[in-house]
Amino acid sequence: MTSASLNILIIEDADIIVHQLRILLSDKNSSYNIRSANSAELGLELVDKSFPDVFILDIKLPGISGIDLLNKIKQDYPLASPLIIILTNMPHAIYKHACLSKGANFFLDKSRDFLVLPEILDSYFFKFNPPNSSLCNSPL
């Protein structure tokens, strides 16, 4: 991650969801560089070009599933520690357990948790880019 931006890769096959995520995240923070792919295979091509700080993955994708993609990310990049968010319409406990046990940081329901994404990303971004503390401590 550069000190000025957060590189986000959305891997989602529903164009409307990608569009809504771009609007939601672009409005919230201009420090986000957002790329997207509509399949795991295309997402992996983007990963090879530039490894993202954050993955937002759907479970049900054409070809390789989001869960298989999560496994592949963890297996192929064992030293990387990206933030991995599963955003799905399949919020069943079995999927949640599988994703979290395989290394996802968050498991979110598209219909219920969509609007918490900016808060999660802001927390992650500010963890690595704290506000300039010298400005806060300067005497007036």
Side-chain angles (χ1 to χ4, degrees):
M1 174 185 328
T2 66
S3 62
S5 68
L6 188 65
N7 293 309
I8 300 169
L9 177 57
I10 301 167
I11 303 178
E12 165 67 61
D13 61 328
D15 291 339
I16 189 70
I17 298 296
V18 173
H19 180 72
Q20 291 299 321
L21 284 169
R22 284 183 178 278
I23 290 170
L24 179 69
L25 299 177
S26 295
D27 286 349
K28 183 67 178 158
N29 192 324
S30 62
S31 300
Y32 296 159
N33 175 29
I34 302 170
R35 298 178 297 154
S36 62
N38 62 6
S39 71
E41 293 83 358
L42 291 175
L44 288 171
E45 289 178 22
L46 292 175
V47 167
D48 287 340
K49 293 177 184 173
S50 175
F51 195 83
D53 303 308
V54 177
F55 287 88
I56 299 175
L57 307 177
D58 188 14
I59 290 178
K60 190 174 180 181
L61 295 167
I64 299 171
S65 75
I67 295 173
D68 291 337
L69 178 57
L70 172 61
N71 284 332
K72 185 156 182 56
I73 293 165
K74 290 297 187 174
Q75 179 183 352
D76 291 356
Y77 304 95
L79 300 178
S81 55
L83 181 68
I84 300 177
I85 301 168
I86 303 297
L87 183 65
T88 184
N89 278 328
M90 300 171 39
H92 311 294
I94 193 163
Y95 294 124
K96 181 176 183 177
H97 175 72
C99 292
L100 294 176
S101 68
K102 294 176 188 303
N105 300 94
F106 293 92
F107 185 91
L108 305 177
D109 180 344
K110 286 180 188 174
S111 63
R112 188 184 67 223
D113 303 323
F114 197 84
L115 296 177
V116 303
L117 273 170
E119 182 180 330
I120 291 169
L121 293 174
D122 281 350
S123 294
Y124 184 75
F125 180 76
F126 287 116
K127 175 181 173 184
F128 295 101
N129 296 285
N132 187 344
S133 60
S134 64
L135 294 176
C136 297
N137 296 328
S138 63
L140 296 177

